[in-house]
Amino acid sequence: MKACGIVAEYNPLHTGHVYQMNKTRQISQADCIIVVMSGNFVQRGEPAVIDKYARTSAALKAGADIVVELPVYYALSSAENFAKGAVLTLNEMKAASICFGAETDNADCLAKISRTIISESPEYKAILNKALAEGLSYPAARQTALLEYLPECKDIITGSNNILAIEYIKAILYNNLNMTYYPVLREGAGYNDDSDTAEYASAFGIRKMLMSDEHDKLKTYLTAGMYEEISNSKSCPLFPDDFSNIFNHKMLFIKQICNINNTDFAEKLAEYEDISPDIANRFVAAFTGRDNITEFAMKVKSKNIVYSRICRCIMHIILEIRKSMSDSYNNIPYIRLLGFNKTGQQYLGSIKKELDVPFITKAADYKKELIFDFACSDIYAQAVYEKYGYVMKNELQQNIIRI
Amino acid sequence: MKACGIVAEYNPLHTGHVYQMNKTRQISQADCIIVVMSGNFVQRGEPAVIDKYARTSAALKAGADIVVELPVYYALSSAENFAKGAVLTLNEMKAASICFGAETDNADCLAKISRTIISESPEYKAILNKALAEGLSYPAARQTALLEYLPECKDIITGSNNILAIEYIKAILYNNLNMTYYPVLREGAGYNDDSDTAEYASAFGIRKMLMSDEHDKLKTYLTAGMYEEISNSKSCPLFPDDFSNIFNHKMLFIKQICNINNTDFAEKLAEYEDISPDIANRFVAAFTGRDNITEFAMKVKSKNIVYSRICRCIMHIILEIRKSMSDSYNNIPYIRLLGFNKTGQQYLGSIKKELDVPFITKAADYKKELIFDFACSDIYAQAVYEKYGYVMKNELQQNIIRI
């Protein structure tokens, strides 16, 4: 059996995602579609609007054969780490190929860009360093350098939806993986486009509809399965500001313990993943305990620190994701199965013996490996309870989704 | 000048307290009344209904000459430690005497009980140990033993309001202090009596009126100054359940960090002051993150663990009060002035040079000593903000009260 992978968040799953799944099956000629999906927290540094099991169910109903969880460490990482975690997971699962959305289907040009970044030729590096010295943030400097070094790829370099595509290819090339990659030209609205006139609304636009409770509109853009999950759920939607109290209290406690022990608050914050000394100082200066998360992130944001990175830093603090953990994630520590259908089951049977890392189907058997996922789910469930008064199943009570 | 001390919480200040102040002045013949008052947290393991500065102002208007703060470590302690902290503070301030409410004015009998507990004669100890072996809690066993050992003091031993009186005398005798003690027969309702028919309502009864917003009734029982403070305050009343979110999040974070580091949650909780291994286990078993504080305390309560102790344990967790701190409080580490009038100022001038510990009048000059008070005030202010949206002054912005 031949499998093709998709990396997704399905936050929430919409008709554009179904288009991608169909395209994937068609282009890759795969028998089995494996989705590596973010769990309860997503790459923008936000909670998923609805929990991972509901999204898994919707994904299976929409055509996925297997859904596995991208561990939260990768899910809440930079595009580079996010892509690395996802690609390595697909590789562990013996996926022959990966298919991803992009604003181009020019695989050659995407590969050229990826190779340039990996190889860091002296010429490219000189341009990059010059841009960094001028005070640009790393992503901005890289874009400037690439534009100068590869002028023929101009349109692709500036396409915001090509960033992840480039990172997927980079992960494949860097790790010498035997994995074919298929960029699929993305249809419909752009990533951050909240217009709802396009044939496919973006997940961002749909989250805005959810926030303003426009359920009728939602029905048009979500898959039937996703719409049903959302309509029947007692625990959704969840947004970043539903974690504001949790964040403020966590910060207050860290500050309090620092004060009592006479240690530096900013230094303590800089122990969390992705928090630079500069970001830590900005957090300390901005913190009052009275802002909600979006207000706080806007206060901390600067020319050189993008909003989504700040949101990820906030989630790292809430979820106790520390720099010291990074070594454990140089390689995929395990694969966690969220759901599958009959085709998926057949495929899993065929690769089961070849897996190099624990393949977790029963959480209770891997309490040690999953301690982090459990903690994250507990925090997610706490926010759900505080918003809706609804008690979610915990990770040990929750079964894998089968359709 | 001669001073007499009163130990109080004034939570809130009512007419019964004024009666006690007048009696104190009359019995002690003192020129100056020093009040040692709990700050923003009180001995029942609760937040004060209104902050310490408002209560200080009311106390001065009601007849106190000096108000100093009982450090939160003592304020949130057992009756024994609470009394010790207060008595040692008054002794540092050269108070010639102390006056306290009791259900008896039989000072001899109170002293006899106190001496029995301190000296622990073999006979008394044998009875005590037998009672403990039968599974009684320490306070219950002590009462049983005292009743058997000092049958002539029966009525006094069983009077709930004599517990603190005995502890004040114990602290004086144990530390060989040169301090006269005057028990004042308490008038009006009992400590836990919520009837409002007595001439003086109890603070407990008044808190119930506050909770149900019976402002007209309040006016009858509170002093004019206290009523004014409460009426004008934008940050009161505050009750234990206003800290439920803070408590649940703190517990969740401790649990999360224990899980991640593979350390024992109960052991971690037992690092906090007054939390025995048994209480820690009960906390772990009861914790869901979904109860408010009073619900949680009721779940943890048992025959051997009284409710107020559980509430103090909860506050120890919230405020980071750990067993490791106890050594720093064997003696009074400092005295913090909250307010004074002209008589008080004169008295302070007369003793200033004889003080053995820092006498703090300007918080900014004692940031290190007060780091704990600052942290407690920050948590109190956080709960106020979450309930009322009002930003309280922090400890550095707040001036001492002078009338």
Side-chain angles (χ1 to χ4, degrees):
Chain A
M1 283 178 88
K2 211 169 78 175
C4 181
I6 289 175
V7 186
E9 308 212 286
Y10 296 153
N11 186 36
L13 186 79
H14 55 69
T15 49
H17 293 125
V18 180
Y19 166 84
Q20 195 208 0
M21 281 199 228
N22 294 338
K23 269 282 187 192
T24 298
R25 217 176 269 281
Q26 180 197 323
I27 296 175
S28 70
Q29 298 286 312
D31 313 296
C32 175
I33 303 280
I34 305 173
V35 172
V36 184
M37 190 182 78
S38 300
N40 286 339
F41 296 90
V42 301
Q43 206 257 336
R44 297 165 62 90
E46 299 185 355
V49 289
I50 186 166
D51 73 278
K52 60 190 179 189
Y53 295 102
R55 278 149 52 231
T56 296
S57 172
L60 293 171
K61 284 176 189 156
D65 298 305
I66 297 172
V67 181
V68 296
E69 181 173 355
L70 182 65
V72 66
Y73 178 82
Y74 300 113
L76 280 173
S77 273
S78 63
E80 185 175 12
N81 250 323
F82 177 91
K84 175 187 156 188
V87 165
L88 290 180
T89 300
L90 288 173
N91 184 57
E92 277 295 338
M93 292 193 70
K94 320 299 169 199
S97 60
I98 179 174
C99 190
F100 43 78
E103 283 164 30
T104 177
D105 50 6
N106 185 339
D108 286 346
C109 218
L110 288 170
K112 210 187 272 182
I113 295 168
S114 304
R115 257 183 237 111
T116 302
I117 297 170
I118 293 177
S119 59
E120 284 205 327
S121 70
E123 193 187 344
Y124 165 75
K125 212 170 169 182
I127 314 175
L128 178 69
N129 287 338
K130 192 171 144 256
L132 285 170
E134 279 162 8
L136 290 184
S137 71
Y138 188 81
R142 196 164 90 173
Q143 180 163 324
T144 306
L146 285 171
L147 283 172
E148 197 172 329
Y149 192 74
L150 299 170
E152 70 274 25
C153 299
K154 178 168 180 281
D155 291 347
I156 296 172
I157 293 164
T158 52
S160 75
N161 211 41
N162 292 327
I163 292 172
L164 273 169
I166 291 166
E167 293 298 346
Y168 295 134
I169 300 175
K170 266 182 62 196
I172 293 168
L173 297 177
Y174 185 81
N175 293 287
N176 287 316
L177 305 184
N178 185 18
M179 191 186 287
T180 313
Y181 45 91
Y182 303 110
V184 170
L185 200 59
R186 197 164 176 273
E187 311 256 322
Y191 190 54
N192 279 327
D193 191 347
D194 65 350
S195 75
D196 49 14
T197 49
E199 188 184 352
Y200 306 116
S202 73
F204 181 78
I206 294 173
R207 287 195 296 277
K208 284 199 70 168
M209 293 175 206
L210 267 171
M211 210 178 256
S212 49
D213 237 351
E214 302 171 276
H215 266 258
D216 289 347
K217 265 197 206 165
L218 279 176
K219 207 166 182 170
T220 321
Y221 295 109
L222 297 178
T223 65
M226 190 79 262
Y227 182 76
E228 200 191 330
E229 290 287 344
I230 288 179
S231 300
N232 296 338
S233 170
K234 291 177 180 127
S235 59
C236 105
L238 223 54
F239 299 111
D241 285 347
D242 297 323
F243 289 74
S244 298
N245 259 341
I246 293 176
F247 174 63
N248 281 324
H249 293 161
K250 181 71 179 261
M251 287 286 280
L252 198 65
F253 294 141
I254 298 173
K255 185 179 169 187
Q256 178 192 23
I257 291 172
C258 285
N259 281 345
I260 292 169
N261 297 335
N262 200 21
T263 51
D264 189 66
F265 187 22
E267 268 177 39
K268 205 80 197 161
L269 292 181
E271 290 176 7
Y272 289 97
E273 185 59 285
D274 215 23
I275 300 190
S276 65
D278 177 39
I279 294 180
N281 285 326
R282 297 181 70 86
F283 269 48
V284 169
F287 180 66
T288 63
R290 299 188 294 268
D291 293 309
N292 62 34
I293 283 181
T294 47
E295 288 164 350
F296 183 80
M298 286 308 290
K299 274 165 83 175
V300 172
K301 189 173 173 271
S302 76
K303 215 185 67 185
N304 298 333
I305 315 170
V306 296
Y307 183 81
S308 63
R309 179 170 174 197
I310 297 162
C311 293
R312 285 194 296 271
C313 291
I314 289 171
M315 286 301 163
H316 290 158
I317 292 172
I318 291 177
L319 300 173
E320 276 294 311
I321 298 179
R322 291 167 176 277
K323 287 182 174 136
S324 55
M325 291 170 56
S326 65
D327 283 350
S328 331
Y329 288 89
N330 281 335
N331 291 306
I332 300 296
Y334 57 82
I335 295 172
R336 173 105 189 263
L337 184 63
L338 291 177
F340 58 89
N341 63 14
K342 280 189 181 153
T343 308
Q345 185 170 22
Q346 215 180 328
Y347 179 79
L348 290 174
S350 76
I351 62 156
K352 212 162 49 182
K353 288 177 185 154
E354 299 171 57
L355 291 169
D356 296 324
V357 296
F359 188 75
I360 303 180
T361 54
K362 203 177 157 194
D365 294 342
Y366 291 90
K367 282 186 186 164
K368 219 182 119 198
E369 286 80 358
L370 293 177
I371 212 68
F372 221 85
D373 296 64
F374 288 6
C376 290
S377 292
D378 285 351
I379 299 271
Y380 191 88
Q382 182 71 22
V384 162
Y385 182 78
E386 287 173 17
K387 184 168 187 180
Y388 296 108
Y390 176 75
V391 182
M392 288 178 73
K393 282 186 187 171
N394 69 35
E395 289 279 13
L396 293 175
Q397 295 162 332
Q398 178 67 52
N399 291 321
I400 284 173
I401 311 293
R402 296 158 196 247
I403 68 162
Chain B
M1 283 179 88
K2 212 169 77 173
C4 180
I6 288 175
V7 186
E9 308 212 287
Y10 296 153
N11 185 36
L13 186 79
H14 55 70
T15 49
H17 293 125
V18 180
Y19 166 84
Q20 195 209 0
M21 282 199 227
N22 294 338
K23 269 282 187 192
T24 298
R25 217 176 268 281
Q26 179 197 324
I27 297 174
S28 70
Q29 298 285 313
D31 313 296
C32 174
I33 303 280
I34 304 173
V35 172
V36 184
M37 190 182 79
S38 300
N40 286 339
F41 296 90
V42 301
Q43 206 257 336
R44 297 165 61 91
E46 298 185 355
V49 289
I50 186 165
D51 74 278
K52 60 190 179 189
Y53 295 103
R55 278 149 52 231
T56 295
S57 172
L60 293 171
K61 284 176 189 156
D65 298 305
I66 297 172
V67 181
V68 296
E69 181 173 355
L70 182 65
V72 66
Y73 178 82
Y74 301 113
L76 280 173
S77 272
S78 63
E80 185 175 11
N81 250 324
F82 176 91
K84 175 187 156 188
V87 165
L88 291 179
T89 300
L90 288 174
N91 185 57
E92 277 295 338
M93 292 193 69
K94 320 300 170 198
S97 60
I98 179 174
C99 190
F100 43 78
E103 283 164 29
T104 177
D105 51 6
N106 185 340
D108 286 346
C109 218
L110 287 169
K112 210 188 273 183
I113 295 168
S114 303
R115 257 183 236 111
T116 301
I117 297 170
I118 292 176
S119 60
E120 284 205 326
S121 70
E123 194 187 344
Y124 165 74
K125 212 171 168 180
I127 314 175
L128 178 70
N129 287 338
K130 192 170 145 256
L132 285 169
E134 279 162 7
L136 290 184
S137 70
Y138 188 81
R142 196 164 89 172
Q143 180 163 324
T144 305
L146 285 171
L147 283 172
E148 197 172 328
Y149 193 74
L150 300 170
E152 70 274 24
C153 299
K154 178 168 180 283
D155 291 346
I156 296 172
I157 292 165
T158 52
S160 75
N161 211 41
N162 292 327
I163 292 172
L164 273 169
I166 292 166
E167 293 298 346
Y168 295 134
I169 300 175
K170 267 182 62 196
I172 292 168
L173 297 177
Y174 184 81
N175 293 287
N176 287 316
L177 305 184
N178 186 18
M179 191 186 287
T180 314
Y181 45 90
Y182 304 110
V184 171
L185 200 60
R186 197 164 176 272
E187 311 256 322
Y191 190 55
N192 279 327
D193 190 347
D194 65 349
S195 75
D196 49 14
T197 50
E199 189 185 350
Y200 306 117
S202 73
F204 181 78
I206 294 174
R207 287 196 296 276
K208 284 199 71 167
M209 293 175 205
L210 267 171
M211 210 178 257
S212 48
D213 237 351
E214 301 171 277
H215 266 258
D216 288 347
K217 266 197 205 165
L218 280 176
K219 207 166 182 170
T220 321
Y221 295 109
L222 297 178
T223 65
M226 190 79 263
Y227 183 76
E228 200 191 329
E229 290 287 344
I230 288 179
S231 301
N232 296 338
S233 170
K234 292 178 179 124
S235 60
C236 106
L238 223 54
F239 300 112
D241 285 348
D242 297 323
F243 290 74
S244 298
N245 259 341
I246 293 176
F247 174 63
N248 281 324
H249 293 162
K250 182 70 178 261
M251 287 285 281
L252 198 65
F253 294 141
I254 298 173
K255 185 179 168 186
Q256 178 192 23
I257 291 172
C258 285
N259 281 345
I260 292 169
N261 297 334
N262 201 22
T263 51
D264 189 66
F265 186 22
E267 269 176 39
K268 206 80 196 161
L269 292 181
E271 290 176 7
Y272 289 97
E273 185 58 286
D274 215 22
I275 300 190
S276 64
D278 177 39
I279 294 180
N281 285 326
R282 296 181 70 86
F283 269 48
V284 169
F287 180 66
T288 64
R290 299 187 294 268
D291 293 309
N292 62 33
I293 283 180
T294 47
E295 288 164 349
F296 183 80
M298 286 308 290
K299 274 165 82 175
V300 172
K301 189 173 173 272
S302 76
K303 215 184 68 184
N304 299 333
I305 315 170
V306 297
Y307 183 81
S308 63
R309 179 169 175 197
I310 297 163
C311 293
R312 285 195 295 271
C313 291
I314 289 172
M315 286 300 163
H316 290 158
I317 292 173
I318 291 177
L319 300 173
E320 275 295 310
I321 298 179
R322 291 166 175 278
K323 286 182 175 138
S324 55
M325 291 170 57
S326 65
D327 283 350
S328 330
Y329 288 89
N330 281 334
N331 291 305
I332 300 296
Y334 57 82
I335 296 172
R336 172 104 189 264
L337 184 63
L338 291 177
F340 58 89
N341 62 14
K342 280 189 181 151
T343 308
Q345 185 170 23
Q346 215 180 330
Y347 180 79
L348 290 173
S350 75
I351 62 156
K352 212 163 49 183
K353 286 177 186 156
E354 299 172 57
L355 291 169
D356 296 324
V357 297
F359 188 75
I360 303 180
T361 54
K362 203 177 156 195
D365 293 343
Y366 291 90
K367 282 186 185 163
K368 218 182 121 200
E369 285 81 357
L370 293 178
I371 212 67
F372 222 85
D373 296 63
F374 288 5
C376 290
S377 292
D378 285 351
I379 299 271
Y380 191 89
Q382 181 72 22
V384 162
Y385 181 79
E386 288 173 16
K387 185 169 187 180
Y388 296 108
Y390 176 75
V391 182
M392 288 178 74
K393 282 186 188 170
N394 69 35
E395 289 279 12
L396 293 175
Q397 295 162 332
Q398 178 67 53
N399 291 322
I400 285 173
I401 311 293
R402 296 158 194 247
I403 67 162

